[in-house]
Amino acid sequence: MSHSLVLFTLIVMTLSLILLTIFLYLIVRKRKDYRWKQEVETYKQLYEPILFRHLAYGDEQITPPSSSAQHVAMMELLDHFLRVLANGHVKQRATALAETYFSNYLRQQLYHRRLGRRMNALFYIEDFGLRSLLHELEKMYEQKHVTMMEKRQLLKMFALFRHPHVYEYMKANDESFTQFDYRLILSRMDDKMFAKVVDHFFDWNEKIQYALIDMIGIMQKIAHVSFLRTLLQHEQSEYRIRALKALAEMAFPLETEQLDVHLRSQIWQERLMALRLCARVRKEELIEQIKELIKDPMFSVRSQAAEALLRMPNGLAMLEQIAQTSDDRYARDMALEWLERGRQYD
Amino acid sequence: MIELAALFVFFFMIAVIVFYTFLLVVSFVQLRRMYELDEWEPYEEMLDVSYTKPVSILVPAYNEEAGIFATVRSLLSIEYPEYEIVVINDGSTDDTLERLKRDFDLVEMKRVIREQLKTKRVRAVYRSQKFSHLFVIDKENGGKADALNAGINFSSYPYVCSIDGDSVIERRAFLKVMKPIIDSDEEVIASGGSVRIANGCDIEKGEVIRIALSRQLLVVMQVIEYLRAFLMGRIGLSRHNLLLIVSGAFGVFSKQWVIRAGGYAHTVGEDMELVVRLHRLIKETDADKKIVYVPDPVCWTEAPESMTDLRKQRRRWHRGLFESLWLHRRMWFNPRYGSIGLVSMPYFLLIEFFGPVVELLGYILIVISLILGDIYIEFAILLFLVSVLYGSIFSMAAVLLEEWTVRKFSNVSDVVRLFFYSLTETLWYRPLTVLWRCEGIVDALLKRKGWGEMKRKGVSK
């Protein structure tokens, strides 16, 4: 018993000592970091006016940063200015500056053992538009140990930097990427690249397809309206629903006959999205149809129908009439709610 | 007899220590990888409305006139592209509703409420004339769960989050908590964030201006406890989709799934019970869904400063834990529920719930051994050492983990205090909380009800 007691006491003591050592190390490091942060702050204040003049007017010479605190201070400032002064000239100058002063530093950071540091470097490379590092990024992507987080970020950057193999990379990542990832990738493509993705629509997996339809709407890509219209004829309802949603996003005035087909759909999401489009484009020819849909069994369809009516030229009067005379209690309630919303915005 | 009991306590604690060590290592690796990651870049893209899912924030309020203004104020300034705030006045007997009406210019409104969950009668619904995304529901008293369910019925967005009247939310809380949901194409149906203690921090107009440690000893000990629970336990468990129960935490839930699970239930800890139920639903429907936890501190809450209030809180939490576990006893050691049934449930049952009983037994044995003297002194020393390991050492490690990875305290002196206070944990704080938790077990067994609410001072200036 006493042997094990001694042993156990030793274990507890050792552990306490180890913790104490770590504690002392962390305290020393905290002080050091504090001083380092202050150094960065000082440099930032020093660089701010110079860098501003350089970016905005291009008439100031910047001395190259030598210490890592100087690097960090200048990069943080540059990133900040890019966010607040976004115009073509500023971007060009920022990229040129980053190209000369930071690309080596950032290249090294790409090989840092900690993920957090590598990610920060990627963010900077993207923000500064350092296309010259594309080859490095490619190498990083091909590595065995690359994490999902890095892969996502890299693929977005490939899209932004117009990497010729971005399509192959997208195809190769069927499982691990989400629709949200694809949306972000697509959002970075220029019109030409985007059009190429649309052209091969049926070769992509579902996630890319859905993201693609959504992005046409979100980014108001009018050039692809005719493509959306072909999807409206497709037998797969998810395509029709998403296409309608995208068209609603763009407020595209679809023909009355075509909209009428979707308003009568068996699928409630399709009715909902058709109504959303009606609300955006104010098709007066469809008022009777919409009035029927305010009695729809689905709550969200009723609500959207009421909104669509409200947006019509004499919407308030129509809703008033429904609220008073409709034989459907749910329709009356919904009309009342939207009447109030309508009046509130008047 | 004493020897047997002492050995039981000893080996139980050693087993738990091994498990904790595992969690500690998992958390450390996880946190360390993300160390120094930019605070803003990963969330920037989420500010675009077209990508982000809107959230309804539910604020149940029962006699919260002191703190409700600050809570709502802090919510009005959060950074998130699309959200609404729904305050549910659960039949308060004080001036909560009047205060809200006055402060936020409320007018009554008509709104069709889709009653997907059964609740007590809603008397009226108001909207703010100052802020178009602020609504107040006035309903008959039915308890917190009932209030939350009424909020869910009213809410118009696909994600809901419940916030206590005594909490302050970080401005970027929702960006951080929603990120895993959006990133995963909604495979994640619930996402929680760390809670920290607000006492001692400078809070102005519902925003944490400066993070600092309270001067109050009792509060510091709770800060350590929170660090330990959230940094060590939650991250370790979340990593393997094992996270089950979160006492007094902050979380966003998919509304659709909450409704499928039957909404909030009338138990002591609504949020934790809901998490268990969601896990259960996931397993029973074989859905490919996840519940995750984000280590960033996103929510600041007022901790009790007096022994009486702390005791009440701990009793209530432990009773809540018991209720959640008991309600779902079918999941215990049940292979049908996979790792949740075989690891999480046993963990919460044996370590979180039953642990305090063993610890208490340990303390009692120490005292008895000391009285008996002679050879029993060795037992006393052994049990004391293992308690130090179990309590103080792990708390010290948690403090170091925070300083090594998350680093929220900017003052060196705060870290020094945290470290040395955690050293004393086994000597006084731990035995006290253990005793209170055991009282909670007694309460649960005797089916004692009552809320034991603490009096709020309000955390904001």
Side-chain angles (χ1 to χ4, degrees):
Chain A
M1 183 72 197
S2 26
H3 264 306
S4 51
L5 191 61
V6 173
L7 186 72
F8 203 68
T9 315
L10 273 176
I11 293 176
V12 173
M13 299 271 279
T14 323
L15 279 175
S16 313
L17 265 175
I18 293 172
L19 288 178
L20 194 69
T21 321
I22 298 174
F23 169 74
L24 290 174
Y25 159 73
L26 289 174
I27 291 296
V28 172
R29 206 193 58 170
K30 199 177 184 73
R31 287 195 172 277
K32 240 173 82 186
D33 275 11
Y34 178 74
R35 277 200 295 273
W36 192 78
K37 270 192 190 134
Q38 282 203 316
E39 204 188 328
V40 171
E41 273 318 301
T42 323
Y43 281 126
K44 272 172 101 169
Q45 275 168 13
L46 195 74
Y47 290 145
E48 192 172 359
I50 311 170
L51 200 61
F52 176 79
R53 285 197 63 86
H54 175 80
L55 289 177
Y57 314 111
D59 62 350
E60 190 91 38
Q61 276 307 311
I62 309 270
T63 39
S66 50
S67 71
S68 83
Q70 285 175 344
H71 267 104
V72 170
M74 213 185 265
M75 286 199 304
E76 279 180 12
L77 271 178
L78 194 63
D79 208 34
H80 165 75
F81 281 134
L82 272 173
R83 234 166 253 161
V84 288
L85 312 166
N87 78 42
H89 287 301
V90 171
K91 271 206 164 140
Q92 264 173 21
R93 286 187 200 116
T95 305
L97 186 76
E99 203 84 67
T100 16
Y101 290 159
F102 308 135
S103 54
N104 276 332
Y105 179 82
L106 289 172
R107 187 179 291 129
Q108 277 167 19
Q109 292 286 305
L110 286 181
Y111 296 99
H112 199 279
R113 67 190 158 81
R114 207 177 303 128
L115 176 64
R117 283 284 189 91
R118 297 199 299 271
M119 284 306 294
N120 289 346
L122 288 179
F123 290 135
Y124 275 132
I125 294 171
E126 180 176 13
D127 289 351
F128 299 157
L130 292 178
R131 204 165 177 260
S132 60
L133 290 176
L134 195 57
H135 182 63
E136 244 75 30
L137 300 178
E138 204 176 288
K139 264 202 328 220
M140 195 173 170
Y141 191 87
E142 305 282 354
Q143 265 171 21
K144 250 192 207 146
H145 305 293
V146 66
T147 62
M148 264 318 284
M149 197 180 184
E150 288 164 290
K151 263 191 151 177
R152 282 193 183 128
Q153 182 59 27
L154 281 165
L155 208 47
K156 283 187 247 169
M157 291 160 78
F158 290 157
L160 183 73
F161 295 153
R162 297 186 298 277
H163 190 294
H165 299 314
V166 72
Y167 309 105
E168 283 79 20
Y169 285 140
M170 274 168 79
K171 270 222 175 84
N173 273 301
D174 279 9
E175 287 307 307
S176 36
F177 277 54
T178 59
Q179 269 187 60
F180 180 67
D181 294 327
Y182 288 124
R183 276 187 179 199
L184 295 181
I185 294 166
L186 291 168
S187 74
R188 282 165 172 76
M189 290 184 174
D190 61 9
D191 285 343
K192 215 173 126 193
M193 286 182 92
F194 192 90
K196 203 171 157 193
V197 184
V198 176
D199 285 345
H200 296 89
F201 183 80
F202 289 101
D203 298 340
W204 299 113
N205 67 42
E206 258 180 13
K207 282 191 254 180
I208 300 183
Q209 288 179 341
Y210 295 155
L212 191 56
I213 305 174
D214 290 350
M215 286 317 283
I216 294 176
I218 291 169
M219 294 169 70
Q220 310 273 325
K221 301 243 180 210
I222 307 287
H224 299 291
V225 164
S226 60
F227 163 69
L228 291 181
R229 298 176 70 121
T230 57
L231 285 184
L232 289 181
Q233 312 299 331
H234 203 280
E235 56 181 12
Q236 201 174 315
S237 61
E238 189 63 28
Y239 289 153
R240 299 199 303 271
I241 294 164
R242 297 232 179 196
L244 281 169
K245 191 176 162 195
L247 288 168
E249 202 80 46
M250 292 191 261
F252 180 80
L254 205 62
E255 299 79 23
T256 313
E257 301 74 46
Q258 182 71 45
L259 257 176
D260 192 40
V261 174
H262 301 296
L263 286 175
R264 290 170 198 278
S265 165
Q266 292 296 308
I267 298 153
W268 70 267
Q269 290 96 332
E270 193 172 350
R271 297 199 294 276
L272 179 72
M273 289 307 157
L275 279 169
R276 189 180 282 185
L277 183 49
C278 289
R280 294 295 299 271
V281 297
R282 307 180 182 194
K283 284 265 182 227
E284 285 184 67
E285 302 92 318
L286 289 167
I287 283 177
E288 284 313 309
Q289 274 288 337
I290 300 171
K291 276 185 179 165
E292 275 308 302
L293 286 172
I294 201 171
K295 298 178 197 165
D296 198 272
M298 283 310 293
F299 181 91
S300 37
V301 175
R302 290 203 297 278
S303 181
Q304 187 65 67
E307 189 189 342
L309 283 181
L310 178 69
R311 303 259 176 266
M312 297 293 172
N314 58 340
L316 282 177
M318 281 189 288
L319 284 177
E320 195 116 36
Q321 203 204 355
I322 293 170
Q324 278 164 12
T325 61
S326 177
D327 51 0
D328 184 305
R329 185 168 70 89
Y330 296 111
R332 289 200 303 270
D333 282 348
M334 197 51 88
L336 274 175
E337 179 182 331
W338 281 93
L339 260 178
E340 198 182 271
R341 289 199 199 190
R343 287 190 186 123
Q344 189 185 315
Y345 297 122
D346 263 353
Chain B
M1 184 62 194
I2 291 179
E3 192 173 356
L4 266 180
L7 281 176
F8 168 70
V9 172
F10 181 78
F11 284 110
F12 177 89
M13 285 186 166
I14 292 291
V16 175
I17 285 167
V18 170
F19 190 69
Y20 276 162
T21 311
F22 164 74
L23 292 183
L24 183 70
V25 172
V26 173
S27 300
F28 178 76
V29 174
Q30 189 80 349
L31 287 171
R32 196 61 194 156
R33 282 175 71 208
M34 294 301 168
Y35 182 61
E36 287 182 328
L37 181 66
D38 193 272
E39 289 237 334
W40 177 236
E41 288 281 358
Y43 306 104
E44 200 176 7
E45 278 160 333
M46 289 177 64
L47 279 186
D48 194 325
V49 187
S50 335
Y51 302 138
T52 310
K53 304 278 167 196
V55 180
S56 299
I57 305 168
L58 312 178
V59 189
Y62 177 69
N63 293 349
E64 300 265 7
E65 59 175 0
I68 193 71
F69 178 72
T71 308
V72 176
R73 263 304 282 271
S74 85
L75 292 174
L76 285 168
S77 63
I78 62 170
E79 244 175 288
Y80 199 73
E82 207 180 0
Y83 67 97
E84 63 177 4
I85 303 163
V86 183
V87 183
I88 308 108
N89 176 40
D90 191 35
S92 294
T93 49
D94 68 352
D95 280 341
T96 305
L97 186 64
E98 268 54 50
R99 187 91 216 252
L100 286 166
K101 277 185 182 168
R102 198 175 58 233
D103 290 338
F104 298 108
D105 246 334
L106 300 182
V107 286
E108 210 176 324
M109 65 181 280
K110 273 209 180 59
R111 172 70 84 86
V112 186
I113 296 181
R114 200 173 165 196
E115 204 177 58
Q116 290 174 294
L117 298 165
K118 199 97 199 94
T119 67
K120 285 268 162 62
R121 198 175 68 86
V122 171
R123 292 190 204 124
V125 200
Y126 302 86
R127 66 179 170 82
S128 163
Q129 285 179 295
K130 277 189 194 158
F131 307 98
S132 59
H133 56 311
L134 173 62
F135 303 93
V136 175
I137 299 175
D138 182 34
K139 64 180 277 290
E140 284 167 9
N141 182 274
K144 193 173 162 192
D146 196 66
L148 288 170
N149 287 338
I152 289 178
N153 284 337
F154 174 88
S155 67
S156 33
Y157 294 143
Y159 285 88
V160 291
C161 164
S162 92
I163 284 166
D164 281 344
D166 57 338
S167 305
V168 170
I169 297 296
E170 290 245 319
R171 289 186 57 211
R172 287 176 186 164
F174 284 93
L175 289 175
K176 288 179 174 170
V177 175
M178 284 301 287
K179 187 167 169 57
I181 295 178
I182 292 166
D183 271 351
S184 70
D185 276 353
E186 302 176 65
E187 187 188 80
V188 172
I189 56 165
S191 166
S194 274
V195 178
R196 292 278 177 104
I197 287 174
N199 313 41
C201 299
D202 287 344
I203 295 169
E204 272 169 39
K205 289 177 184 158
E207 207 183 320
V208 179
I209 307 287
R210 196 178 62 92
I211 299 167
L213 195 59
S214 167
R215 294 265 134 217
Q216 300 248 11
L217 183 60
L218 203 58
V219 177
V220 178
M221 296 316 285
Q222 290 178 73
V223 171
I224 296 165
E225 230 186 341
Y226 270 62
L227 288 181
R228 184 177 159 142
F230 281 95
L231 285 180
M232 246 171 73
R234 307 280 146 76
I235 299 170
L237 291 174
S238 167
R239 177 84 183 84
H240 302 278
N241 202 21
L242 291 174
L243 184 65
L244 252 194
I245 290 168
V246 181
S247 304
F250 166 85
V252 176
F253 297 95
S254 151
K255 185 163 86 180
Q256 183 200 342
W257 278 83
V258 174
I259 291 170
R260 271 183 74 181
Y264 285 92
H266 296 265
T267 50
V268 180
E270 313 73 17
D271 261 10
M272 54 181 169
E273 204 279 327
L274 181 60
V275 173
V276 185
R277 214 136 26 93
L278 285 174
H279 264 302
R280 191 171 178 166
L281 191 62
I282 292 171
K283 292 283 178 197
E284 282 171 357
T285 55
D286 244 336
D288 196 11
K289 300 287 175 188
K290 276 199 190 107
I291 294 173
V292 301
Y293 167 76
V294 185
D296 280 294
V298 291
C299 176
W300 300 81
T301 189
E302 184 187 352
E305 290 190 349
S306 75
M307 290 275 190
T308 332
D309 283 334
L310 185 61
R311 178 175 168 209
K312 278 184 196 162
Q313 185 196 46
R314 290 312 146 95
R315 280 171 81 160
R316 195 174 75 233
W317 280 6
H318 218 66
R319 208 176 76 221
L321 178 65
F322 175 76
E323 282 186 13
S324 302
L325 291 171
W326 185 247
L327 217 59
H328 299 281
R329 57 187 176 279
R330 266 190 48 205
M331 293 168 79
W332 299 357
F333 307 99
N334 189 341
R336 223 194 118 199
Y337 295 96
S339 53
I340 295 292
L342 295 176
V343 184
S344 300
M345 270 293 174
Y347 164 76
F348 280 97
L349 188 68
L350 297 177
I351 300 181
E352 296 275 327
F353 177 72
F354 193 58
V357 180
V358 180
E359 269 185 84
L360 188 67
L361 182 64
Y363 295 128
I364 293 170
L365 284 172
I366 291 176
V367 175
I368 294 178
S369 307
L370 284 174
I371 294 169
L372 290 177
D374 207 19
I375 54 153
Y376 292 105
I377 295 287
E378 283 191 0
F379 287 131
I381 298 172
L382 192 67
L383 286 178
F384 175 73
L385 284 175
V386 77
S387 317
V388 169
L389 197 55
Y390 192 90
S392 296
I393 301 268
F394 270 102
S395 294
M396 284 153 77
V399 171
L400 296 182
L401 182 65
E402 140 76 33
E403 180 50 30
W404 212 335
T405 54
V406 189
R407 281 186 120 186
K408 279 284 165 180
F409 293 98
S410 51
N411 267 342
V412 175
S413 67
D414 284 351
V415 181
V416 174
R417 267 166 64 218
L418 277 173
F419 186 76
F420 286 105
Y421 282 11
S422 61
L423 197 65
T424 69
E425 195 182 290
T426 313
L427 298 178
W428 66 285
Y429 184 74
R430 190 92 189 167
L432 277 179
T433 52
V434 161
L435 189 68
W436 294 332
R437 284 189 227 169
C438 290
E439 285 180 353
I441 298 179
V442 175
D443 288 349
L445 293 177
L446 297 177
K447 297 208 187 310
R448 221 177 265 163
K449 293 281 171 195
W451 280 90
E453 285 298 334
M454 77 184 221
K455 189 76 198 144
R456 308 274 182 220
K457 292 196 305 188
V459 284
S460 189
K461 276 179 196 158

